[in-house]
């Protein structure tokens, strides 16, 4: 099956996948009505339990990291009391941007499922294409922000302290 972007849908999409995606779309639509951005997400544990929900709160909270997926990840981690969401699935109303995809990777989600894609988002006024293009270039060629390594004598001191701390929680 081929979607509007020309991307094919994976085989084995379950009824629960479409139900969770419908809930993510509802969260997104409700958020627009409440003055927020058009994005919604939820995290579902391996047993099918919804453990976190999120809506885009960037403008409401004046927080550029308050994307729906990030908010859902934060809520799910608080629900289970762990920073690892291994075994869980992120369902989101739109293809995760680079920030949200990175958050999904760091949280160790097993799966990310979305319905609208980045092209749909661009048509809706949320165009991330400049970010994708930038990430394809070496960081030395990025225009904004400037990313510069300035090596200080104590640059690795925090990592030395981390490795020496026997009470640390590895991740």
């Amino acid at each position: 099956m081929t979607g509007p972007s020309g991307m094919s849908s994976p085989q084995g999409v379950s009824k629960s996948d479409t139900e969770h995606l419908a809930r993510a779309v509802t969260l997104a639509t409700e958020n627009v009505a409440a003055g927020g951005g058009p994005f919604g997400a939820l995290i579902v544990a391996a047993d099918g339990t919804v453990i976190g929900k999120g809506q885009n709160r960037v403008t409401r909270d004046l927080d550029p990291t308050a994307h729906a997926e990030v908010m859902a990840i934060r809520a799910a981690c608080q629900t289970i009391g762990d920073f690892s969401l291994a075994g869980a699935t992120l369902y989101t109303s739109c293809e995760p941007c680079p920030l949200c995809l990175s958050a999904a990777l760091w949280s160790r989600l097993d799966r990310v499922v979305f319905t609208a894609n980045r092209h749909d988002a661009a048509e809706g006024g949320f165009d991330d294409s400049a970010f994708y293009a930038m990430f394809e270039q070496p960081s030395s060629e990025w225009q904004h922000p400037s990313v510069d390594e300035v090596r200080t004598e104590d640059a690795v001191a925090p990592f030395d302290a981390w490795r020496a701390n026997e009470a640390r929680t590895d991740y």
Side-chain angles (χ1 to χ4, degrees), residues 105-170:
L105 292 168
W106 274 109
S107 63
R108 296 165 176 79
L109 286 159
D110 279 16
R111 190 169 173 231
V112 175
V113 183
F114 61 90
T115 186
N117 61 42
R118 66 177 84 169
H119 308 291
D120 300 318
E123 287 181 25
F126 294 86
D127 191 354
D128 295 338
S129 61
F131 296 134
Y132 290 105
M134 185 179 80
F135 289 138
E136 291 176 5
Q137 304 299 317
S139 62
S140 62
E141 295 179 22
W142 295 359
Q143 297 299 310
H144 298 285
S146 174
V147 178
D148 303 306
E149 178 181 6
V150 178
R151 194 79 176 177
T152 59
E153 289 183 28
D154 60 350
V156 298
F159 299 110
D160 293 340
W162 173 258
R163 284 189 303 271
N165 181 358
E166 293 182 18
R168 72 180 179 263
T169 302
D170 288 324

Side-chain angles (χ1 to χ4, degrees), residues 12-30:
V13 174
S14 70
K15 181 179 179 204
S16 65
D17 286 340
T18 56
E19 289 171 354
H20 293 311
L21 287 170
R23 180 65 183 136
V25 169
T26 298
L27 286 169
T29 305
E30 290 172 353

Side-chain angles (χ1 to χ4, degrees), residues 65-130:
T65 68
H67 292 203
E69 298 88 342
V70 172
M71 301 300 283
I73 289 168
R74 290 173 181 165
C77 289
Q78 291 300 306
T79 297
I80 67 168
D82 199 340
F83 58 84
S84 174
L85 296 174
T89 299
L90 166 64
Y91 290 94
T92 181
S93 63
C94 190
E95 180 178 0
C97 71
L99 167 75
C100 296
L101 186 55
S102 294
L105 292 168
W106 274 109
S107 63
R108 296 165 176 79
L109 286 159
D110 279 16
R111 190 169 173 231
V112 175
V113 183
F114 61 90
T115 186
N117 61 42
R118 66 177 84 169
H119 308 291
D120 300 318
E123 287 181 25
F126 294 86
D127 191 354
D128 295 338
S129 61

